[in-house]
Amino acid sequence: MIIKSADFVTSAVRPVQYPESSLPEIAFAGRSNVGKSSLINTLVNRKRLVKTSSTPGRTQLINFFIINQTFYLVDLPGYGYARVPASVQKKWGPMVERYLKERTGLQAVTLIMDIRRTPRAEERNFIDWLQLYRIPTIPVLTKVDKLSKTRQNKQVGLIASALDIDREQLTLFSAKSRQGKDRLWTLLKDHIPGTE
Ligand code: GTP
Ligand code: MG
């Protein structure tokens, strides 16, 4: 994908705050601190388009970015991090759920997971929920630079069976080495009408 432009559009909590749009849109979801914002920056070749942080819970709003004036990438707040106050956690569920249910241009959700962590019911339930709403899901394992090839292989097997999917469906990614960037764009493009 050739990135001619990548711009922040707006942050939103409620649907009235979403940008008015007839463009296709891809959302990025995953646990807090997993590397969602870093992954988007890597995809669009920008260091700081999306704010990243070593402190979990950095992204607390739904952030919309427009790419090449033709589609949106949407950074969703992370879920399930214990250090985030319960009051904040409670607002996230409904905020993200409403977005996923109501956003008409949404074409697919990229579900980002840390390759070092075997997913639990939380992820499995989220995938089931997305399937129920007929939202295509693209599973990505990130931070692969943190493991040796041997341990990557082992984790891919464990994660695929925990998610009940084929290992070939998992895309390995690193925001540090940019591994997996081209493969992920190929998968994303299938869901973005009008891009070749
Ligand atoms: P929240 O917005 O808080 O939910 O986090 P996030 O999922 O957007 O994560 P973010 O991109 O802010 O990254 C969290 C931390 O992980 C930062 O310190 C990043 O530098 C680091 N990180 C993200 N991706 C990678 C990666 O592929 N490899 C390595 N080594 N570190 C990464
Ligand atoms: Mg973030």
Side-chain angles (χ1 to χ4, degrees):
M1 173 71 73
I2 295 162
I3 308 296
K4 294 180 217 128
S5 65
D7 299 290
F8 171 72
V9 179
T10 194
S11 296
V13 176
R14 290 183 302 282
V16 289
Q17 301 163 325
Y18 301 165
E20 214 179 300
S21 158
S22 52
L23 298 176
E25 192 162 305
I26 306 273
F28 296 81
R31 290 174 75 84
S32 205
N33 209 232
V34 73
K36 297 174 293 299
S37 302
S38 304
L39 180 141
I40 298 174
N41 282 332
T42 304
L43 280 177
V44 300
N45 312 320
R46 300 285 194 280
K47 282 210 171 82
R48 275 174 288 273
L49 176 67
V50 192
K51 285 188 198 119
T52 64
S53 163
S54 53
T55 314
R58 183 72 185 80
T59 311
Q60 303 208 351
L61 303 166
I62 301 174
N63 290 312
F64 295 81
F65 300 88
I66 190 163
I67 313 303
N68 295 350
Q69 299 296 320
T70 50
F71 61 92
Y72 283 94
L73 297 183
V74 178
D75 192 17
L76 297 173
Y79 56 85
Y81 200 86
R83 260 157 56 192
V84 174
S87 57
V88 179
Q89 289 256 23
K90 246 169 98 181
K91 279 189 231 151
W92 286 4
M95 171 170 68
V96 172
E97 195 171 319
R98 254 191 111 179
Y99 165 79
L100 295 170
K101 276 187 191 163
E102 294 181 23
R103 187 62 167 162
T104 45
L106 181 64
Q107 306 295 313
V109 169
T110 308
L111 176 57
I112 303 159
M113 292 161 284
D114 188 320
I115 191 163
R116 296 167 298 173
R117 184 182 164 279
T118 307
R120 313 219 176 111
E122 207 171 12
E123 279 82 10
R124 186 62 251 174
N125 293 342
F126 187 49
I127 292 175
D128 289 345
W129 188 91
L130 290 166
Q131 263 164 13
L132 192 70
Y133 284 93
R134 310 244 183 284
I135 303 169
T137 308
I138 301 164
V140 173
L141 303 183
T142 192
K143 301 194 184 180
V144 299
D145 58 275
K146 293 201 181 247
L147 293 185
S148 67
K149 280 271 170 344
T150 314
R151 291 192 58 210
Q152 286 180 21
N153 261 322
K154 198 173 151 223
Q155 276 304 103
V156 168
L158 287 173
I159 294 167
S161 66
L163 296 177
D164 199 18
I165 60 175
D166 293 331
R167 56 186 296 147
E168 289 71 34
Q169 281 179 260
L170 294 166
T171 296
L172 304 193
F173 191 91
S174 166
K176 209 169 167 186
S177 71
R178 294 165 193 226
Q179 181 189 330
K181 182 181 144 181
D182 292 345
R183 172 175 159 143
L184 184 53
W185 266 127
T186 303
L187 296 173
L188 295 178
K189 279 194 284 193
D190 279 345
H191 296 282
I192 310 171
T195 52
E196 26 35 85

